[in-house]
Amino acid sequence: MRKRIVAGNWKMNKTLKEARELTRGLMDEMNGHIPNGDVILVPAFPVLEAVVRELDGHEAIAVGAQNMAWEERGAYTGEVSVEMLQSVGVTHVLIGHSERRQYMNEDHALLKKKLDLALSKGVTPIYCCGEQLEDREAGRHFELVGQQIEEVLFHLDADALKNVVIAYEPVWAIGTGLTATSAQAEEMHAHIRQLLAGKFGDVAEFISILYGGSCKPDNAPELFACPNVDGGLIGGASLKVPDFMGIIKAMS
Ligand code: PGA
């Protein structure tokens, strides 16, 4: 009923040559394998177009950006607009990744603008949320993630929400090798879905909620088997073809 998705967030990795090699390697490996869901590559801005070209309309792999500007165009030196992204074939964009919240101080007002702009242009936002370790230790994780969902998504109407993908990424699990247990992931995903159902009704059942944070080929099958986990947002393991392929195959 819900779309399964595995997205590879390459972060600030891969030069042009490396990006082409990784894309080609993945396509070779995918040859003959029809994934049971969507695969999205999320490279850095300078290589987006090259990755789109390498994919050459591959029916199972889409391309997303890691960020976008909050305004449509104009005097915003160093920023990249949603239309620029679309013009090179980008269909998805990460909004609110914890590294941008942390290092670039992106707050909910800004994230809301970006999300609305992406939706208005028909680019699918992958909205990232997740608590810090101290929030979990203090038992505030449900409240905190709830706030991230409410403050950035609750102004939408149900029709708009249908076009949003959510990624739950506990910050303490990102790049640390510490994965949330499947029980921890499932309870947070169920909590998010319940919040969405309370506000938007039945449409909540159709929203894909991805798990992110040290997801690897060996833990992906158990995580993806949870009823409310609809795939993954993958960092480190998306940089190596065999690892990423292993995770793609865990979608069933
Ligand atoms: P990780 O990163 O898989 O390397 O933990 C996930 C992410 O930040 O999207």
Side-chain angles (χ1 to χ4, degrees), residues 49-86:
E49 188 185 4
V51 170
V52 170
R53 277 178 199 261
E54 284 299 332
L55 290 171
D56 192 25
H58 194 293
E59 68 282 0
I61 312 179
V63 176
Q66 296 173 18
N67 180 35
M68 57 174 261
W70 67 99
E71 293 288 351
E72 269 196 76
R73 67 180 63 78
Y76 299 97
T77 302
E79 290 296 323
V80 174
S81 78
V82 64
E83 283 182 358
M84 292 172 191
L85 295 174
Q86 279 184 303

Side-chain angles (χ1 to χ4, degrees), residues 23-168:
T23 308
R24 244 178 267 147
L26 185 67
M27 284 165 75
D28 288 349
E29 199 69 19
M30 292 262 288
N31 197 13
H33 175 79
I34 300 169
N36 189 27
D38 293 352
V39 176
I40 306 168
L41 303 183
V42 189
F45 290 141
V47 303
L48 281 168
E49 188 185 4
V51 170
V52 170
R53 277 178 199 261
E54 284 299 332
L55 290 171
D56 192 25
H58 194 293
E59 68 282 0
I61 312 179
V63 176
Q66 296 173 18
N67 180 35
M68 57 174 261
W70 67 99
E71 293 288 351
E72 269 196 76
R73 67 180 63 78
Y76 299 97
T77 302
E79 290 296 323
V80 174
S81 78
V82 64
E83 283 182 358
M84 292 172 191
L85 295 174
Q86 279 184 303
S87 73
V88 298
V90 166
T91 52
H92 293 71
V93 62
L94 301 185
I95 305 273
H97 190 280
S98 62
E99 285 150 18
R100 296 205 59 85
R101 292 178 191 256
Q102 186 180 345
Y103 302 128
M104 310 307 292
N105 297 319
E106 294 197 354
D107 62 14
H108 287 161
L110 181 81
L111 299 180
K112 218 162 116 177
K113 279 191 184 172
K114 292 186 181 193
L115 187 113
D116 288 348
L117 186 54
L119 285 171
S120 76
K121 299 290 176 185
V123 169
T124 303
I126 302 176
Y127 176 60
C128 307
C129 58
E131 81 284 359
Q132 308 270 349
L133 184 59
E134 60 264 31
D135 300 314
R136 182 162 280 267
E137 284 174 347
R140 281 196 307 261
H141 45 299
F142 289 119
E143 185 194 333
L144 199 115
V145 171
Q147 218 170 11
Q148 293 173 336
I149 295 289
E150 286 174 24
E151 290 182 12
V152 179
L153 300 181
F154 270 26
H155 67 291
L156 298 173
D157 59 32
D159 272 348
L161 185 80
K162 264 192 225 156
N163 299 316
V164 176
V165 173
I166 294 173
Y168 167 60

